[in-house]
Amino acid sequence: MENIGNIKNKLPENLSGIHIHFVGIKGTGMAALVEILYHNGAIITGSDVEERFYTDEILESLGIKVKTFSKENITDKIEYVIYSSAYKLDKNPDLIAAVEKNLPCLLYTQALGSYSSLYYSCGVCGVHGKTSTTGLVGTILKELDLPTQTLVGSKIKSFGDTCTFTSDAFKQLDSNAENRKNSVFVAETCEYQRHFMEFFPKNIILTSVESDHQDYYPTYESIRDAFVDYICKLPIGGNLIFCSDDKGAVETALIAKSKRGDINFIPYGINDFSCDLGFNANPKNVRVKALSEACLDRTYFCDSFNFKISLGKIDDGKQYFKIKCFGDKDFKLSVPGIHEVLDAVAAIALVCKIIEHFGKNPIDFVDTIALGVEKFSGGKRRSEIVSRLKINNNDVIVIDDYGHHPTAVKTTLEGFRNFYKNRKIIVDFMSHTYSRTQSLLKEFSQSFGSADMVILHKIYSSARENPSDFEITGKTLFDEVQKNFKNKENVFYFEEVLDAKDFVLSELAKPLPEDKNGYLFVTMGAGDNWKLGKEIGN
């Protein structure tokens, strides 16, 4: 019954003084959009459940008092309603009242897409890395005096523990839409249910493509083709910045190239960019030669910029790396993992394009860009250091990370192993969704090799799944991990998350081997096992 009421999918060009009511306002994306529209002069009200979330602090900082769901929330002053996909027009009391009043009701994705159409917009997408990459873009832009806004699907520390950044130059623009259309909006865009197809990008970063969201994309090809369709939304002369180290991203770029030879393909990565980029594309879909031809005139940014990475030392809590087009310039990154270096280079490539958009030369801003990269310290649940403590004289770092796909788990733990070389790593993982766990069971079972000990739990279900439809359980994953782990005696299972608390504390109190100087305890996944890390840190 979604086709009811006055369901317009466009926001007005001038938002100053427009009263917008958000239903499900505490959602991360919703709260971020609230911030964006607030800085455009909109009047914001909103409703949600009573349970407190970290976004409450963001909303309170804007002077927004969240109401519980009620028909009474929809006053005559409200002009637009934006609602989370978790709520239905014919079920939620606020939305029922909005429909009765014939108010325009927009899904979050429609509202975000509508807003993006008003600006020079850039979308960051990929199965992995889009949150960190978008956060890096915003952190670099924060150092530049340009009219920009950035929206991320998580709190970013360098933004001031909010989900968005709006530059002073943007805030100083008047409300005239003509004066704003060339300002820049950068947003994390989501592939699930093709949500990113509502967005209007002038540039796209593509970090990675592989099988995920199996409840919606039953095959790798189905999710890959969704990314291809999104890339094809770029205008003539638009830019796809894609990871040359990710086979799925390259295959997706090749297919997009066969459909859209009028857009620019800009690779970044550690691999050599000489013509075929060294990848084995699926010959049934596209010819490697297609990218080979593109290499002659499209892989070099500004005809001279080559985003090829060389990795350096890890020292004083920072990773060092160089980018070919910037010569001997050292870039420093304070978050662990080669995957984070790749995200940083993608962000740098996009920022260079944004600088060009304003008629400036990126080379003139290299030191400022490097400063922005160094200032990035991660986001909430993205390699987030929850606490540092002593347990029986052992130095313990507790980290929480949202990685919930086998590739993300594997690369993140590898990053921790390289970054925290002399620590014993204990990872507590909670798998999210039965469909993902079932489809990628083999991959999950082989993703913990960089850890010294693994703790597993029941599967954290999704509202869009019925657990009774699946035979797989958390115990199934436990059995498979035991088969593949280097020492099966170091793989443990606790059905409920907090049941593992005493066990973890006892492990962290044990004497360390001579080659270790501390423990790293990591809670990982999209479930609620972060609560265990919080308990350990108290």
Side-chain angles (χ1 to χ4, degrees), residues 411-450:
T411 56
T412 300
L413 290 177
E414 287 174 348
F416 291 156
R417 173 54 67 206
N418 291 328
F419 206 72
Y420 300 100
K421 291 183 182 296
N422 299 318
R423 288 184 179 269
K424 184 174 181 179
I425 299 176
I426 301 175
V427 59
D428 182 280
F429 178 72
M430 190 176 204
S431 194
H432 179 46
T433 79
Y434 286 83
S435 57
R436 180 184 288 118
T437 311
Q438 180 171 284
S439 297
L440 302 175
L441 181 62
K442 179 181 177 182
E443 291 81 356
F444 271 120
S445 72
Q446 299 172 350
S447 62
F448 298 99
S450 294

Side-chain angles (χ1 to χ4, degrees), residues 204-488:
I204 289 174
I205 290 176
L206 176 63
T207 63
S208 54
V209 179
E210 60 180 300
S211 183
D212 198 12
H213 306 297
Q214 287 79 9
D215 60 312
Y216 187 79
Y217 298 112
T219 64
Y220 160 73
E221 288 76 16
S222 59
I223 194 170
R224 179 202 63 196
D225 292 347
F227 282 104
V228 170
D229 290 345
Y230 181 44
I231 293 165
C232 288
K233 290 200 70 175
L234 285 167
I236 294 172
N239 300 290
L240 174 68
I241 300 165
F242 67 99
C243 183
S244 63
D245 294 342
D246 184 90
K247 290 184 179 181
V250 171
E251 182 179 6
T252 301
L254 285 164
I255 296 171
K257 167 65 178 168
S258 70
K259 295 173 177 285
R260 290 289 307 277
D262 57 349
I263 59 179
N264 302 313
F265 294 81
I266 304 168
Y268 66 92
I270 298 170
N271 281 285
D272 187 3
F273 294 163
S274 58
C275 290
D276 67 1
L277 300 184
F279 285 90
N280 295 318
N282 186 342
K284 293 181 180 178
N285 295 320
V286 288
R287 293 175 298 119
V288 174
K289 186 180 176 184
L291 192 56
S292 210
E293 292 166 350
C295 284
L296 298 176
D297 60 357
R298 294 193 185 277
T299 61
Y300 296 101
F301 192 74
C302 304
D303 295 325
S304 61
F305 282 14
N306 186 337
F307 290 95
K308 184 175 183 298
I309 308 163
S310 58
L311 299 171
K313 61 184 177 179
I314 297 174
D315 187 44
D316 195 27
K318 291 182 172 62
Q319 298 187 89
Y320 288 69
F321 63 94
K322 298 181 189 296
I323 306 173
K324 185 175 181 180
C325 59
F326 296 125
D328 289 330
K329 176 68 181 179
D330 265 330
F331 292 85
K332 304 173 189 176
L333 185 62
S334 303
V335 290
I338 295 173
H339 61 292
E340 293 285 8
V341 174
L342 289 168
D343 293 345
V345 177
I348 291 168
L350 178 57
V351 168
C352 287
K353 267 301 178 191
I354 290 170
I355 290 170
E356 277 195 324
H357 168 70
F358 289 105
K360 303 176 186 292
N361 188 343
I363 291 291
D364 297 334
F365 296 87
V366 173
D367 289 341
T368 307
I369 291 170
L371 179 62
V373 171
E374 189 170 1
K375 284 187 175 182
F376 179 73
S377 54
K380 190 169 184 63
R381 302 216 65 204
R382 271 71 178 181
S383 298
E384 178 188 8
I385 296 178
V386 176
S387 59
R388 295 175 182 265
L389 64 153
K390 292 281 186 179
I391 299 179
N392 196 23
N393 290 322
N394 292 331
D395 185 57
V396 178
I397 298 175
V398 179
I399 285 181
D400 183 45
D401 190 87
Y402 191 67
H404 55 278
H405 185 284
T407 302
V409 173
K410 185 174 185 292
T411 56
T412 300
L413 290 177
E414 287 174 348
F416 291 156
R417 173 54 67 206
N418 291 328
F419 206 72
Y420 300 100
K421 291 183 182 296
N422 299 318
R423 288 184 179 269
K424 184 174 181 179
I425 299 176
I426 301 175
V427 59
D428 182 280
F429 178 72
M430 190 176 204
S431 194
H432 179 46
T433 79
Y434 286 83
S435 57
R436 180 184 288 118
T437 311
Q438 180 171 284
S439 297
L440 302 175
L441 181 62
K442 179 181 177 182
E443 291 81 356
F444 271 120
S445 72
Q446 299 172 350
S447 62
F448 298 99
S450 294
D452 297 294
M453 181 180 291
V454 182
I455 301 167
L456 299 165
H457 305 284
K458 66 183 181 184
I459 295 171
Y460 189 79
S461 188
S462 166
R464 59 182 183 260
E465 287 184 334
N466 183 357
S468 63
D469 292 339
F470 301 88
E471 294 182 2
I472 196 167
T473 68
K475 274 290 189 97
T476 313
L477 178 58
F478 166 73
D479 291 338
E480 291 301 310
V481 173
Q482 268 200 330
K483 291 177 186 176
N484 288 280
F485 199 62
K486 52 201 169 194
N487 184 349
K488 70 177 184 179

Side-chain angles (χ1 to χ4, degrees), residues 23-25 47-49 67-71 73 87 92-94:
V23 178
I25 194 170
S47 57
D48 212 313
V49 296
K67 302 175 182 179
T68 56
F69 297 127
S70 169
K71 285 187 175 185
N73 295 333
Y87 302 100
N92 179 273
D94 294 53

Side-chain angles (χ1 to χ4, degrees), residues 153-210:
S154 178
K155 271 187 179 181
I156 301 298
K157 292 178 183 177
S158 48
F159 288 3
D161 269 341
T162 68
C163 302
T164 68
F165 167 69
T166 300
S167 71
D168 289 338
F170 185 95
K171 292 175 184 176
Q172 290 165 8
L173 294 171
D174 62 40
S175 59
N176 189 306
E178 283 299 310
N179 294 335
R180 285 179 175 256
K181 67 181 180 181
N182 287 322
S183 57
V184 169
F185 176 53
V186 181
E188 176 181 342
T189 56
C190 181
E191 71 277 6
Y192 184 60
Q193 294 184 340
R194 291 180 167 246
H195 286 160
F196 49 25
M197 293 302 291
E198 301 278 1
F199 201 78
F200 290 85
K202 301 293 192 299
N203 302 289
I204 289 174
I205 290 176
L206 176 63
T207 63
S208 54
V209 179
E210 60 180 300

